[in-house]
Amino acid sequence: MRRPIAFATVVVRDWVRSRSTVFWTLAFPLILLLVFGSVFGDVRVTSVRVLVVNEDLDPSGRPTQLSEAFVSALNSTGLLELRPVEPSKDLGEAMRDLGVYRALVIHRGFQEGLIEASVAARIDVITSTLEYVLANFGQSVPPENRSMIEEGISALRQMRSNLRAGPVSITFVRDDADPSAGAVEGVIRSVAQAFNLRLIGANDSVVLDSSGLGFRRTRWIDLYVPGVLMAFVMVNGVLGSSQMLADMRRRRLLRRLTITPLRRSELLAGLMFAHLLMALVLTVLTLSVGWGLFGSSFSLNALSAALIVAGSLLFTSLGLVVGTAFKEVEAVSAAASAITFPMMFLSGAVFPLELAPPAMQAVAKFLPLYYLVEGLRASGVYGSTVSFIEGLAVSLAAFPVLLLLGSVLLDRELTT
Amino acid sequence: MGIRNEAVVTEELVKVYEGGVRALDGVSLRVGRGEVFALLGPNGAGKTTLVEILLTLRRPTSGRAYVLGEDVSDPRSRSTVRSRVGAVLQESDSFELLTVRETLELYASLYGADRRRVDELLELFGLSGYAKRLYGKLSGGLKRRVLVATALINSPELVFLDEPTTGLDPAMRREVWEVLRRMREEGVTVFLTTHYMEEAEELADRVGFIVGGRLVAVGSPRELAERYGGSKVVRVSGLDRRAAEEVARALGDVRSEGDGLVYTASDQRDANRAVQTVLSIAPDAVITVSNPGLEEVFLKLTGYRITEEGEVA
Ligand SMILES: Nc1ncnc2c1ncn2[C@@H]1O[C@H](COP(=O)(O)OP(=O)(O)OP(=O)(O)O)[C@@H](O)[C@H]1O
Ligand SMILES: [Mg+2]
């Protein structure tokens, strides 16, 4: 134990004292987190412009109460910058004038429809409650009461069938070539859903899904925190260990250490252990910023912790291979960057894959980081084990292979 | 056999590299315990190859090599050899971002050496004042001192120093020599390689000349000088150009060295005759007569001199 720890101490000291480390492992991830956090996480940032045509006017020509409320709910997400357009105007003309080719049209009858829908929803809640009682406690209900309830249910059904229960009448006019149209539609859809629920009072605890870009219920910042975290465990593992090894070789330190009692396996254990410690520091820092500044919902549980450990081992051993496969320090740096940066973006760690072209989404499936990030999101954000298992499996399969390859390459370098 | 009692023994050692370079071509050598041995040779002579074989870092193509009685080709003796020797590898360096003390402590932990040994070496090599400095911020001479100190952390019986002063300016080189002399006082066997004649003369008990992978001569500087050097060297300086040309013509076999001339006399009588010849041409000439050094030996053996950069000329 003494020798691996002695070497791990060197790696950690080297890491702590090197300036590029501070950038790659602290500054850069935090910058990314701050950028993503404030663009996608902070609800006060307006980004996408959308025209709003409100045709639902009361007899005096003013917008109805509920249509106004809906517009202000959309506004409060902070994700859309709404531009009102007079319903009397031609929409196509307005689009050209303002240069905005996205519009939300709230049709006449919106308020009326919503009220009806809200009544219908209340009726649904009551009928299903009554049905539930009958189905489960039917035996203990006296027969006369029972038939009363049954009659009540059929009366409610009758009422319900006379109400409009379809979706509220709004239309999203979009240009098919508009890349952000899908995201905007997602925001509108989730606001409408939350709006409905709130309106009928079914569930007050439902929060407006303010960052419903794409079609997720979670906010993007919740997904960025694990993404950025795993991406930087990767960057640190691959760049850090390959640079360290290349530099040691340049200084003949690998040879120098070979003639001490430090065994190859002890050197590798020390390297892995040091990177594990760094991954831990990185985790604490990233999560503190995520929690403190953005109220990230990520939770560090046994599953997410296991994935961070697995990721650190996997990427440190990848760094070992990169660091020993090339002779020149420059070649090692070039290879390490050529692996880490594309992987960071292509794997969906710091860029929403949902908004990426299909080809890129397909590439992601070949990158280990993709599985680890998905696994970390699943375990840390949703508390789910599905992608967790894939992430763990990918690491456990790749880690020993890379470690073995790396130590063979190291041997080749040291004995001739 | 004597193998057990010697620090280093090689027998007909041959190393042929993958590309076909014959770096060692039948080297047989003995280095006794407690000796300071200098392997002298120009660039590419095979010095590093020999040292790395002795350090178990390379395998010989054929022949045998024993270090402290252990056969270096035997994988089982590898760890024994490694734990009993110390080394400064050629052009080796250390972790830039560790302090001097941390560097020594690292090696102390790797060998399981006492922490007191660290203080002892800092003291011995005059490094105590630099203990908290980062290695990367030290001057070249101090860096070498640190490297030599790391080679001694396990109190080795034998230390290999592969060109420990190459690339240093003369003042720094002397600094390192000072350190090496202290090492010698500790009773450590030193196996040193160099292409500086002066370094071998200053430090070594015995010298081996290696050229093209072959050991061409081995002995104490004095023995070698007596055997190969011619008996006296006459150095003449303070001549103007015309006088220099005339002296060269009169003495015949001279070479220039710096702004003077050097004549190798066959005996004292020949030296006296040369001095008289020079004085008759230039009465103000500055003349010194000395015993020959390694430079003359090497010249005699190979017909070459080794430049400051280690090239043959
Ligand atoms: N790994 C190698 N592969 C192939 N040839 C090599 C290798 N290492 C050294 N050589 C060659 O072997 C010969 C001896 O090299 P070596 O490094 O042992 O010489 P040296 O005396 O230490 O020289 P220097 O003073 O330049 O350090 C040289 O011709 C060199 O080019
Ligand atoms: Mg050499």
Coordinates of all heavy atoms in Angstrom, one line a residue, chain B residues 48 90 162-163, ligand 2:
Chain B
T48 N 25.5 4.2 -22.5 CA 24.1 4.1 -22.0 C 23.6 2.7 -22.1 O 23.0 2.1 -21.2 CB 23.2 5.1 -22.6 OG1 23.7 6.4 -22.4 CG2 21.8 5.0 -22.1
Q90 N 20.7 8.8 -18.0 CA 21.1 9.9 -18.9 C 19.9 10.8 -19.2 O 18.8 10.3 -19.5 CB 21.7 9.3 -20.2 CG 22.1 10.5 -21.1 CD 22.9 9.9 -22.3 OE1 22.8 8.7 -22.6 NE2 23.6 10.8 -23.0
D162 N 24.9 8.1 -15.4 CA 25.1 8.2 -16.8 C 25.2 9.6 -17.2 O 24.2 10.3 -17.3 CB 24.0 7.4 -17.5 CG 24.3 7.1 -19.0 OD1 25.4 7.5 -19.4 OD2 23.5 6.5 -19.6
E163 N 26.4 10.1 -17.5 CA 26.7 11.4 -17.9 C 26.1 12.4 -17.0 O 25.2 13.3 -17.3 CB 26.2 11.7 -19.4 CG 26.8 10.7 -20.3 CD 26.8 11.2 -21.8 OE1 26.5 12.4 -22.0 OE2 27.2 10.4 -22.7
Ligands
MG2 MG 24.5 7.7 -23.4

